[in-house]
Amino acid sequence: MGKRTAVMRHMIADYLNVGTSEKPEYVLMGTGFTTLDESPGAQTESVKYVNDTGSSSSVTGYETSFAFEAEHIQEEKAVDALYMVGRNHYTGADAEFDYVRVELWNKGEQANEFEARKFRVSCEVSDYSGENKQVVKGNLNAVGDPVLGTFNTETRTFTEAAE
């Protein structure tokens, strides 16, 4: 039996652009976040042909979302940026961010470079509550398709993959 190395949650790094598209500032979504899960949300279509006893299904698209829960720590820019969307009732483009999911086990060609996917996401804040510590909860919902590439964790820059 060969070696089996399970991917652990700490081997996925998540970065949120709290800057602008002209001057990005990617910050790590680490401290404060207790949940940040990906749901690809595959959309399917089924058809049953007259000569078959079973249906045939195909994937027609994706409705990806990332459920998050984070303690509201003032100094954590990513948590605070998401909180502000709900606090100020931002909508449309004002509630959108660039979000990069980095696979730390998939090394790129350069030092500190890893395979990554960049998503445009809309932030849906569903709850802000807590008995003591305040917690912000919601979803980052994908807007369009992800962009494949690499992310440098030292310079915090995303490079789109060549086609």
Side-chain angles (χ1 to χ4, degrees), residues 23-144:
K23 190 174 179 193
E25 181 188 351
Y26 284 98
V27 294
L28 180 65
M29 299 170 80
T31 301
F33 286 87
T34 56
T35 302
L36 187 49
D37 296 331
E38 180 176 356
S39 295
Q43 305 296 298
T44 61
E45 181 177 271
S46 296
V47 62
K48 184 172 182 245
Y49 298 110
V50 296
N51 61 324
D52 291 336
T53 57
S55 295
S56 298
S57 294
S58 61
V59 176
T60 58
Y62 291 88
E63 199 171 306
T64 304
S65 67
F66 302 87
F68 69 86
E69 184 171 317
E71 294 177 350
H72 191 180
I73 299 172
Q74 296 175 49
E75 295 79 12
E76 291 299 317
K77 289 182 178 183
V79 177
D80 204 51
L82 299 177
Y83 161 73
M84 293 303 282
V85 169
R87 176 188 181 266
N88 295 337
H89 292 206
Y90 292 153
T91 60
D94 292 337
E96 292 181 3
F97 297 90
D98 284 330
Y99 163 70
V100 177
R101 187 156 254 226
V102 183
E103 299 171 347
L104 298 174
W105 70 92
N106 277 333
K107 294 188 188 299
E109 296 177 11
Q110 308 296 321
N112 303 308
E113 182 182 83
F114 303 91
E115 296 290 320
R117 295 169 295 148
K118 181 169 85 167
F119 295 84
R120 185 71 181 168
V121 294
S122 63
C123 175
E124 164 201 340
V125 176
S126 59
D127 194 42
Y128 185 69
S129 62
E131 186 80 16
N132 292 310
K133 293 179 186 176
Q134 293 299 290
V135 175
V136 59
K137 298 177 188 176
N139 292 296
L140 300 176
N141 300 308
V143 176

